[in-house]
């Protein structure tokens, strides 16, 4: 429930009760007269005091402060504090008069009528309604963004985890020029004895190049690579060296097509206050915002209408339009440090808009 529902009617009730009898005066048990709040403030002969004018004045000030919040919602916090001060001032009037009359004893007896008790309750209602609004209003830190300064959204990157080497299969076959520590491995070495009792040495020395019957596949590979120790008699380098890359025929490759693609602009609205602060919403060609759960951006704020704002992409610009909402659409003016009510707002980098009690920040990035 909104505290203004209590403070507003309470202020109107106080103004009405000011003209009704507050006290009844009697002398030795015989009723003499009934005096209203206005008579107590103006009739000096009846023991009145102009200080009672503070009570209706506090009610008028309260109504003025409540009306100011409809014109400038950004003043809501200051207005609530003003309501608290007005309520305290009215209550102090009654407390002061009660302290003055408490010690006076005479022939006249003063009886407090219900209208005075209801007036005191109305002052308490003004103060309690303002305190309720101050308690439930979320803190709204002002985030300053420049016109051309993009909002930096923090991203927490996870550092890459080092890969563990795959376990070595105990039955794997290894070809290496050094000793192997794996059991049951078969090693191809260039003549060095193996210290591993489980290793099998293959080819302690290369076979003679002139005996084809004793050549191995490894010898043929070494010959293809041009190793002098594996040439056949009478061969020179030109007989077995493969052609270089420059000598091979090159296929005809058409030039690569150059694509001219403009980076896509992605726009976001980020909640800047409340329990959902920092939550981001990507804007589409048309985005609806409101308290209806079917809205593209659903915000459960009782100050929002079911369809509060519609954002459209028009000629590369995002335009926010108020949809005849109850509390309107506001844009933050950094120069005047205030919220200005607008029917239509062109969203630029760093623009802050307010819907009900929710503040949204507009930002873009290139994708």
């Amino acid at each position: 429930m909104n505290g203004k529902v209590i403070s507003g009617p309470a202020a109107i009730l106080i103004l009405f009760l000011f003209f009704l009898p507050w006290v009844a005066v009697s002398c030795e048990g015989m009723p003499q007269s009934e005096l209203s709040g206005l008579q107590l403030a103006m009739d000096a002969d009846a023991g009145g005091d102009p200080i009672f004018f503070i009570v209706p004045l506090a009610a008028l000030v309260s109504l003025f402060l409540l009306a100011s919040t409809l014109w400038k919602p950004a003043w809501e916090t200051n207005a609530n504090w003003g309501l608290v001060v007005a309520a305290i001032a009215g209550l102090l009037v009654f407390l002061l008069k009660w302290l003055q009359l408490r010690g006076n004893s005479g022939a006249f007896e003063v009886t407090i009528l219900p209208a005075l008790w209801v007036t005191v309750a109305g002052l308490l209602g003004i103060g309690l309604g303002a305190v309720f609004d101050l308690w439930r209003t979320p803190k709204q830190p002002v985030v300053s963004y420049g016109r051309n300064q993009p909002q930096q959204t923090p991203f927490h990157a996870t550092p890459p985890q080092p890969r563990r080497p795959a376990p070595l299969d105990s039955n794997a076959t290894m070809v290496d020029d050094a000793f192997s520590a794996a059991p049951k491995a078969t090693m191809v070495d260039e003549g060095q004895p193996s210290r591993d009792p489980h290793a099998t040495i293959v080819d302690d020395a290369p076979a003679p190049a002139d005996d084809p019957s004793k050549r191995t596949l490894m010898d043929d590979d070494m010959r293809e690579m041009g190793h002098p120790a594996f040439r056949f008699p009478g061969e020179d380098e030109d007989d077995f060296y493969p052609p270089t890359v420059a000598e091979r025929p090159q296929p005809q490759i058409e030039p690569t097509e150059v694509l001219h693609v403009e980076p896509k602009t992605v726009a976001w609205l980020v909640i800047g206050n409340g329990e959902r602060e920092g939550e981001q919403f990507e804007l589409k060609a048309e985005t609806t915002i409101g308290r209806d759960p079917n809205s593209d951006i659903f915000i459960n704020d009782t100050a929002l209408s079911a369809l509060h704002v519609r954002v459209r992409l028009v000629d590369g610009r995002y335009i926010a339009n108020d949809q005849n909402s109850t509390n309107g659409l506001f844009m933050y003016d950094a120069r005047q440090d205030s919220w200005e009510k607008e029917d239509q707002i062109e969203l630029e980098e760093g623009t802050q808009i307010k819907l009900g009690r929710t503040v949204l920040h507009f930002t873009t990035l290139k994708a």
Side-chain angles (χ1 to χ4, degrees), residues 67-296:
S68 68
T69 60
L70 299 177
W71 179 47
K72 289 282 189 180
W75 295 351
E76 183 174 353
T77 300
N78 294 332
N80 286 326
W81 283 113
L83 292 174
V84 173
V85 173
I88 293 176
L91 292 172
L92 286 177
V93 171
F94 292 115
L95 178 61
L96 178 62
K97 297 305 295 182
W98 177 76
L99 292 175
Q100 290 179 353
L101 298 175
R102 184 181 58 173
N104 294 337
S105 61
F108 290 97
E109 297 178 357
V110 178
T111 303
I112 298 176
L113 299 179
L116 181 56
W117 291 115
V118 177
T119 301
V120 173
L123 291 170
L124 289 173
I126 292 175
L128 292 176
V131 171
F132 180 76
D133 274 349
L134 288 171
W135 173 73
R136 69 191 295 268
T137 300
K139 296 182 179 180
Q140 300 178 0
V142 176
V143 183
S144 177
Y145 296 108
R147 287 285 181 177
N148 299 319
Q149 181 180 0
Q151 179 186 7
Q152 300 295 332
T153 304
F155 294 98
H156 301 287
T158 303
Q161 300 295 328
R163 295 183 178 180
R164 295 182 178 180
L168 183 63
D169 189 356
S170 60
N171 296 318
T173 299
M174 300 182 58
V175 179
D176 203 301
D177 289 337
F179 300 112
S180 170
K184 300 183 182 179
T186 299
M187 301 181 60
V188 178
D189 201 282
E190 294 185 353
Q192 295 180 355
S194 172
R195 298 178 183 178
D196 189 347
H198 299 285
T200 302
I201 305 300
V202 178
D203 275 341
D204 287 342
D210 56 351
D211 189 356
S213 62
K214 295 184 179 181
R215 299 181 66 89
T216 64
L217 292 177
M218 187 175 179
D219 296 336
D220 293 336
D221 292 338
M222 295 297 291
R223 174 181 174 277
E224 292 294 333
M225 294 173 61
H227 198 287
F230 294 89
R231 297 179 191 169
F232 290 129
E235 287 183 332
D236 56 17
E237 295 182 0
D238 296 336
D239 293 332
F240 52 83
Y241 271 125
T244 62
V245 176
E247 295 172 349
R248 297 174 183 172
Q250 300 296 325
Q252 296 296 326
I253 301 177
E254 297 181 358
T256 303
E257 180 182 0
V258 179
L259 299 178
H260 298 281
V261 179
E262 293 294 332
K264 178 184 176 183
T265 300
V266 182
W268 304 80
L269 282 176
V270 184
I271 295 181
N273 66 324
E275 296 179 354
R276 300 173 63 184
E277 180 177 358
E279 189 170 344
Q280 307 176 30
F281 303 94
E282 183 177 356
L283 295 179
K284 302 180 292 187
E286 180 173 325
T287 306
T288 57
I289 308 174
R291 197 154 45 93
D292 185 353
N294 295 322
S295 301
D296 297 322

Side-chain angles (χ1 to χ4, degrees), residues 1-7 128-129 132-133 135-136 302 357:
M1 182 179 66
N2 196 320
K4 299 181 182 62
V5 178
I6 303 175
S7 301
L128 292 176
F132 180 76
D133 274 349
W135 173 73
R136 69 191 295 268
T302 56
R357 299 183 184 88

